[in-house]
């Protein structure tokens, strides 16, 4: 996988915070596939978890969804989303302390309305959804 493709889709780690921007890639492009994105994210998570403090304190996950469209949702498909959710909720060795989703649109909100009933109760309490707000105040930029 080329460095440019990894740079365009992967998360950026900062201490125990993980920031991700969804929608920065073209889902109709043949240059990138689901496995490329998953591998890039696994590399970031493995690096973050190499610090014991992150394992103890938990991770804070920020995702900017301002560019997320129905094409991005279709790119993943329902089977892959179910598999990913199962991994995050039950098999991931780290602990998500908080998950913040910013600039959500109707596509993401509809997806959450469908998936929220199937989330474990502890994850429901940890998820916060914000519409039209910027990351800067939370990251101290």
């Amino acid at each position: 996988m080329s460095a440019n493709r990894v740079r365009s889709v992967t998360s950026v780690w900062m201490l125990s915070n993980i920031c991700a921007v969804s929608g920065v890639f073209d889902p109709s492009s043949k240059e990138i596939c689901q496995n490329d994105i998953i591998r890039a994210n696994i590399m970031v998570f493995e690096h973050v978890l190499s610090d014991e403090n992150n394992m103890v304190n938990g991770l804070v996950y920020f995702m900017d969804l301002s560019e997320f469209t129905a094409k991005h949702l279709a790119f993943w498909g329902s089977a892959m989303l179910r598999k990913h959710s199962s991994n995050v909720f039950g098999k991931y060795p780290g602990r998500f302390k908080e998950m913040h989703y910013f600039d959500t649109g109707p596509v993401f909100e509809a997806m959450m309305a469908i998936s929220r009933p199937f989330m474990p109760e502890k994850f429901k309490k940890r998820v916060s959804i914000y519409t039209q707000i910027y990351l800067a105040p939370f990251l101290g930029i």
Side-chain angles (χ1 to χ4, degrees):
M1 177 168 39
S2 73
N4 288 337
R5 289 196 297 175
V6 172
R7 195 174 316 121
S8 69
V9 297
T10 191
S11 308
V12 178
W13 71 276
M14 290 188 260
L15 303 175
S16 62
N17 299 330
I18 297 176
C19 302
V21 180
S22 183
V24 295
F25 70 98
D26 179 10
S28 61
S29 170
K30 300 296 180 195
E31 292 183 22
I32 193 160
C33 68
Q34 296 167 338
N35 289 335
D36 291 339
I37 297 171
I38 291 169
R39 282 186 197 112
N41 282 309
I42 287 172
M43 289 186 328
V44 170
F45 282 118
E46 282 182 358
H47 181 73
V48 169
L49 290 177
S50 66
D51 181 358
E52 189 175 308
N53 289 326
N54 293 334
M55 291 290 284
V56 172
N57 298 324
L59 302 171
V60 179
Y61 186 76
F62 297 93
M63 180 172 266
D64 177 5
L65 291 154
S66 58
E67 303 294 323
F68 188 76
T69 65
K71 287 182 180 180
H72 292 96
L73 183 59
F75 171 81
W76 288 103
S78 61
M80 183 61 83
L81 289 173
R82 271 194 307 274
K83 184 177 179 180
H84 175 69
S85 296
S86 136
N87 288 335
V88 169
F89 296 143
K91 300 173 186 160
Y92 181 66
R95 180 178 73 87
F96 286 101
K97 187 164 64 172
E98 301 170 21
M99 291 177 274
H100 300 275
Y101 297 97
F102 295 89
D103 289 333
T104 59
V107 173
F108 180 78
E109 291 172 18
M111 183 182 76
M112 284 301 288
I114 293 168
S115 62
R116 192 174 271 258
F118 302 105
M119 287 182 178
E121 195 61 38
K122 67 180 181 179
F123 275 92
K124 289 180 189 177
K125 293 176 183 175
R126 295 176 185 174
V127 171
S128 299
I129 298 173
Y130 307 96
T131 57
Q132 299 181 354
I133 193 167
Y134 296 101
L135 289 171
F138 294 97
L139 298 177
I141 299 173

